[in-house]
């Protein structure tokens, strides 16, 4: 090789090899500077006593900070909660409110129930997470307690309600291919309009709510939607596609749709149709379960037994995310090792909390309490139906809703803001329905006071000039 060509080759090496290295070093120095910057921030955070954060900042400061750092996928009522006990919550300034949302029925046992909190404190000192790569000494007890409480044979634990929904649909498909012998890749799950089963891609592919599915396409195939609370369309779908249908999923009472209660006998007819066509009945009891409607499970109102029950929210009493599905041994064993799982599902901390949460439901007879208090509550607020802009009060147990006329100048939003100012917290679902779901531990004096707040608010707001109606 000539000297000239050797020189050119050396120049090329410097250009193509060493220059990127120099650039990389420059980038690395830039990275180190940023790391140092973030390390300084971390050190500043370490100096903050976490026990002092609660109550340290005002409502206004907290809202501004969340708006700045948090994604805007929620539009909360303009109130900050820093403490909760039973049915009551407090903001950083010490104002007390009655909670009539219960974290979408996750806090059925009341905020920070002492027995559940004590179970968490005790377990957190021992071990909190093992993964399911190993056995832990709490999950088997939790599984036994849950199965015996609901009279099912096996449980598969997860964390969020959405994960439990996905688990139920996957189990239905596994069963469909293995037991019903549906041709591979052609299993169908039927759902209903107005459904809400979470925010996953599979679920929003079934949704008819534009807020849930817009700009998330393409959507997943393999689902058919039928009208809620109508048997004939379901019969037709089952007769046409029954050989391919592995499951029918629905909420016994539709929560996010506005506490929509099906006609008496509907769920029983659904159960009979599913048995006739060998279709698994999948009941989403994430919101309606654990005594919320006045029964241990909402299905109990019609003596129905779902093949797969989806559970969440109050399974932990609102302390941490715990969800599960329960089913028969024959169905559940369609899953085999490696075909489904969750790192945190069934962890010992969640299991200890879940046991305590179920014990509270039983010991405090919260099904009976919800049933009795719900009847009293609906009677106490019934006078507001005399207002021409109030369409209906409906509910079961302590899962209730007030629906106002869609064309009314007074909106559910206006009412929730006024209720907040009077010390009661709830939120609209859609724009004309107010869901009212207090913790099931609410006492009769508390219920009486809350009923008076609600009725007086509806009565007074009718006289407000438009300028006095508040929105957020």
């Amino acid at each position: 090789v000539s000297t000239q060509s050797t020189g050119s080759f050396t120049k090329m090496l410097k250009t193509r090899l060493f220059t990127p290295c120099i650039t990389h070093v420059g980038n690395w120095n830039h990275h180190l500077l940023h790391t140092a910057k973030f390390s300084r921030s971390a050190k500043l955070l370490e100096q903050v006593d976490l026990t002092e954060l609660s109550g340290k900042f005002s409502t206004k400061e907290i809202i501004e900070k969340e708006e700045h750092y948090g994604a805007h996928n929620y539009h909360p009522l303009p109130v900050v909660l820093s403490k909760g006990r039973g049915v009551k919550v407090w903001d950083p300034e010490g104002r007390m409110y009655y909670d009539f949302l219960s974290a979408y029925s996750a806090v059925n046992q009341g905020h920070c129930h002492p027995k559940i909190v004590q179970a968490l404190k005790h377990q957190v000192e021992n071990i909190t997470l093992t993964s399911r790569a190993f056995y832990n000494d709490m999950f088997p007890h939790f599984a036994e307690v849950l199965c015996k409480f609901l009279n099912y044979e096996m449980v598969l634990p997860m964390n969020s309600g959405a994960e439990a929904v996905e688990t139920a649909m996957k189990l239905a498909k596994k069963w469909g291919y293995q037991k019903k012998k549906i041709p591979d890749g052609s299993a169908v799950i039927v759902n209903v309009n107005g459904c809400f089963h979470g925010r996953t891609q599979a679920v929003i592919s079934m949704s008819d709510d534009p807020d849930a599915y817009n700009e998330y396409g393409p959507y997943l195939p393999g689902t058919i939607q039928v009208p809620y609370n109508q048997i004939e369309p379901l019969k037709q779908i089952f007769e046409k596609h029954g050989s391919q249908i592995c499951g029918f999923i629905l909420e016994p009472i539709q929560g996010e749709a506005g506490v929509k209660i099906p006609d008496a006998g509907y769920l029983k007819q659904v159960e009979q149709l599913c048995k006739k066509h060998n279709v698994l009945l999948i009941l989403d009891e994430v919101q309606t379960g654990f005594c919320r409607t006045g029964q241990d499970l909402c299905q109990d109102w019609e003596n129905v037994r779902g093949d797969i029950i989806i559970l969440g929210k109050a399974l932990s009493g609102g302390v941490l995310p715990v969800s599960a599905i329960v089913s028969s041994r024959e169905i559940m064993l369609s899953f085999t090792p490696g075909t489904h799982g969750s790192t945190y599902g069934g962890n010992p901390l969640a299991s200890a909390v879940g046991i305590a949460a179920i014990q509270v439901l039983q010991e405090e007879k919260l099904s009976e309490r919800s049933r009795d208090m719900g009847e009293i509550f609906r009677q106490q607020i019934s006078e507001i139906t005399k207002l021409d802009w109030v369409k209906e009060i409906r509910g079961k147990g302590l899962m209730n809703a007030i629906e106002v006329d869609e064309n009314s100048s007074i909106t559910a939003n206006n009412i929730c803001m006024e209720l907040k100012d009077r010390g009661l917290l709830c939120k609209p679902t859609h724009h004309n329905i107010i869901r009212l779901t207090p913790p099931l531990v609410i006492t009769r004096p508390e219920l009486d006071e809350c009923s008076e707040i609600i009725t007086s608010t509806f009565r007074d707001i009718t006289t407000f000039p438009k300028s006095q109606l508040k929105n957020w």
Side-chain angles (χ1 to χ4, degrees):
V1 180
S2 69
T3 305
Q4 185 177 358
S5 62
T6 303
S8 299
F9 182 68
T10 304
K11 184 177 181 181
M12 180 273 290
L13 283 177
K14 288 181 179 178
T15 303
R16 297 195 180 181
L17 297 179
F18 300 129
T19 303
C21 289
I22 293 168
T23 304
H24 179 72
V25 170
N27 288 339
W28 179 248
N29 287 335
H30 182 68
H31 169 72
L32 289 175
L33 288 172
H34 277 273
T35 301
K37 180 181 177 181
F38 285 117
S39 296
R40 286 196 298 273
S41 299
K43 288 177 181 177
L44 288 174
L45 286 175
E46 288 169 5
Q47 294 171 10
V48 176
D49 185 346
L50 295 178
T51 62
E52 295 180 357
L53 283 180
S54 182
K56 185 179 180 69
F57 298 93
S58 69
T59 290
K60 182 175 182 293
E61 290 170 325
I62 290 293
I63 291 174
E64 288 175 350
K65 182 173 286 192
E66 179 166 326
E67 287 293 303
H68 181 76
Y69 290 106
H72 294 183
N73 58 322
Y74 278 88
H75 184 49
L77 201 72
V79 62
V80 173
L81 305 182
S82 59
K83 179 183 175 183
R85 294 292 184 274
V87 72
K88 298 176 181 178
V89 290
W90 288 263
D91 69 11
E93 289 77 19
R95 289 183 288 261
M96 187 275 286
Y97 303 87
Y98 286 107
D99 178 4
F100 262 59
L101 186 63
S102 298
Y104 302 102
S105 296
V107 194
N108 287 0
Q109 297 90 334
H111 288 277
C112 297
H113 192 287
K115 179 164 186 162
I116 302 174
V117 170
Q118 184 56 43
L120 182 141
K121 288 180 177 178
H122 174 78
Q123 185 61 39
V124 83
E125 294 289 346
N126 296 325
I127 189 168
T128 58
L129 181 65
T130 60
S131 84
R132 295 296 298 281
F134 313 108
Y135 291 96
N136 72 69
D137 65 352
M138 292 304 298
F139 170 63
H141 303 304
F142 169 62
E144 180 183 24
V145 167
L146 180 58
C147 285
K148 288 184 175 179
F149 178 55
L150 298 179
N151 193 27
Y152 279 85
E153 292 180 325
M154 298 192 84
V155 55
L156 195 159
M158 297 298 286
N159 309 287
S160 69
E163 287 177 281
V165 169
E166 289 284 317
T167 301
M169 293 195 295
K170 288 175 70 175
L171 178 59
K173 289 184 175 182
K174 276 282 186 186
W175 172 89
Y177 293 127
Q178 293 177 12
K179 305 296 173 62
K180 191 171 177 176
K181 304 303 180 184
I182 297 172
D184 189 40
S186 61
V188 171
I189 290 178
V190 179
N191 70 292
V192 296
N193 68 322
C195 68
F196 183 86
H197 302 291
R199 306 280 187 178
T200 65
Q201 188 69 36
V203 167
I204 61 106
S205 296
M206 301 190 300
S207 177
D208 57 359
D209 180 0
D211 285 342
Y213 66 74
N214 270 350
E215 299 180 340
Y216 291 124
Y219 306 106
L220 301 181
T223 61
I224 298 174
Q225 187 173 98
V226 297
Y228 184 62
N229 196 28
Q230 294 184 32
I231 285 295
E232 282 306 315
L234 185 63
K235 281 183 180 178
Q236 293 171 15
I237 290 297
F238 277 10
E239 288 168 3
K240 185 176 181 180
H241 302 284
S243 62
Q244 291 178 265
I245 298 172
C246 60
F248 177 43
I249 183 171
L250 76 162
E251 304 155 86
I253 294 176
Q254 291 190 323
E256 293 301 312
V259 189
K260 297 290 181 68
I261 304 171
D263 296 335
Y266 169 71
L267 287 179
K268 197 66 181 176
Q269 291 180 73
V270 165
E271 180 187 42
Q272 291 166 355
L273 270 179
C274 286
K275 287 180 178 177
K276 178 181 177 181
H277 292 273
N278 195 23
V279 171
L280 297 183
L281 175 56
I282 307 168
L283 291 177
D284 184 344
E285 294 252 19
V286 170
Q287 285 196 40
T288 56
F290 298 118
C291 312
R292 170 52 61 185
T293 70
Q295 298 281 0
D296 292 344
L297 291 175
C298 189
Q299 68 171 2
D300 298 340
W301 280 106
E302 293 206 19
N303 195 28
V304 167
R305 183 177 176 81
D307 297 296
I308 303 173
I309 305 297
I310 304 169
L311 306 163
K313 296 196 184 295
L315 185 49
S316 76
V319 172
L320 76 170
V322 183
S323 68
I325 63 168
V326 292
S327 189
S328 67
R329 183 174 303 276
E330 182 264 337
I331 294 171
M332 194 71 85
L333 291 181
S334 299
F335 281 137
T336 54
T339 57
H340 188 66
S342 165
T343 299
Y344 275 80
N347 70 75
L349 183 60
S351 297
V353 165
I355 291 170
I358 293 169
Q359 289 174 337
V360 170
L361 295 173
Q362 293 178 299
E363 292 167 0
E364 301 189 14
K365 299 180 179 178
L366 293 187
S367 279
E368 294 93 328
R369 188 180 191 85
S370 174
R371 188 162 59 247
D372 295 342
M373 288 292 195
E375 291 176 4
I376 294 168
F377 177 61
R378 287 186 293 277
Q379 179 60 39
Q380 287 180 333
I381 66 172
S382 62
E383 69 176 70
I384 68 173
T385 57
K386 297 175 183 177
L387 300 169
D388 59 8
W389 51 276
V390 176
K391 285 184 65 175
E392 183 184 22
I393 297 170
R394 56 177 176 264
K396 272 188 182 295
L398 282 172
M399 185 176 190
N400 295 280
I402 302 170
E403 183 171 351
V404 304
D405 193 315
E406 290 183 83
N407 300 315
S408 170
S409 59
I410 300 171
T411 67
N413 191 308
N414 300 147
I415 297 162
C416 288
M417 282 295 287
E418 186 62 26
L419 286 169
K420 177 187 79 72
D421 290 346
R422 299 185 185 208
L424 189 145
L425 300 179
C426 54
K427 276 203 75 179
T429 176
H430 301 286
H431 72 282
N432 67 318
I433 301 171
I434 302 166
R435 182 168 38 189
L436 299 165
T437 53
L440 308 183
V441 295
I442 190 170
T443 65
R444 179 60 191 271
E446 289 171 335
L447 186 70
D448 292 345
E449 183 178 351
C450 291
S451 295
E452 176 56 32
I453 292 172
I454 291 167
T455 53
S456 63
T457 297
F458 273 79
R459 185 172 58 244
D460 295 346
I461 204 170
T462 306
T463 66
F464 285 6
K466 191 172 183 179
S467 60
Q468 197 174 336
L469 297 174
K470 297 176 183 176
N471 287 292
W472 86 93

